[in-house]
Amino acid sequence: MTITYDDFQKVDIRVGRIMRAEPFPEARKPAIRLWVDFGKEIGEKRSSAQITAHYTPDMLVGRQVLAVVNFPPRQIGKVLSEVLVLGVPDAAGEVVLIGPDHDVSPGGRLF
């Protein structure tokens, strides 16, 4: 399926910095709860991510990630997930997070 640039612009993907990360043992599949700062315009948002194969909460604090910030919030167990943190699968299908390779200002939009 081909999309237009206008279609792409509808998906608001921003860079954020993980400020806090905690295990999420109540999740059906192993997950980590995240608090991600997207800067002054968007602020801090929460998410739940199934990323335990490659990451521990301690490894994540301070890391920059890309996330979709304009999906409606979604209840995941006891957590209201406000953003979708993005990743790609490794050879085993486990999530590897996507983020900039240089430090950038939180809230910067992907283009």
Side-chain angles (χ1 to χ4, degrees):
M1 171 195 336
T2 300
I3 65 169
T4 67
Y5 186 74
D6 288 339
D7 292 331
F8 171 73
Q9 284 294 102
K10 291 176 186 176
V11 182
D12 193 356
I13 300 172
R14 304 283 182 122
V15 65
R17 185 176 306 279
I18 298 172
M19 304 305 289
R20 191 167 136 205
E22 296 177 354
F24 185 17
E26 303 89 3
R28 279 184 285 137
K29 294 182 181 178
I32 299 174
R33 292 189 298 187
L34 304 172
W35 287 260
V36 185
D37 176 25
F38 292 95
K40 291 180 185 177
E41 181 185 341
I42 297 170
E44 187 174 271
K45 300 290 182 180
R46 293 172 293 173
S47 188
S48 170
Q50 295 174 359
I51 55 175
T52 58
H54 293 297
Y55 307 99
T56 64
D58 290 343
M59 295 171 62
L60 294 167
V61 175
R63 181 187 182 104
Q64 288 194 308
V65 292
L66 290 174
V68 176
V69 299
N70 66 335
F71 283 147
R74 185 172 157 202
Q75 194 70 43
I76 300 175
K78 295 180 180 180
V79 173
L80 183 64
S81 187
E82 300 172 294
V83 297
L84 175 65
V85 175
L86 300 176
V88 294
D90 67 8
E94 300 292 346
V95 177
V96 175
L97 294 172
I98 295 175
D101 61 0
H102 291 75
D103 199 53
V104 297
S105 296
R109 186 170 181 163
L110 179 75
F111 58 86

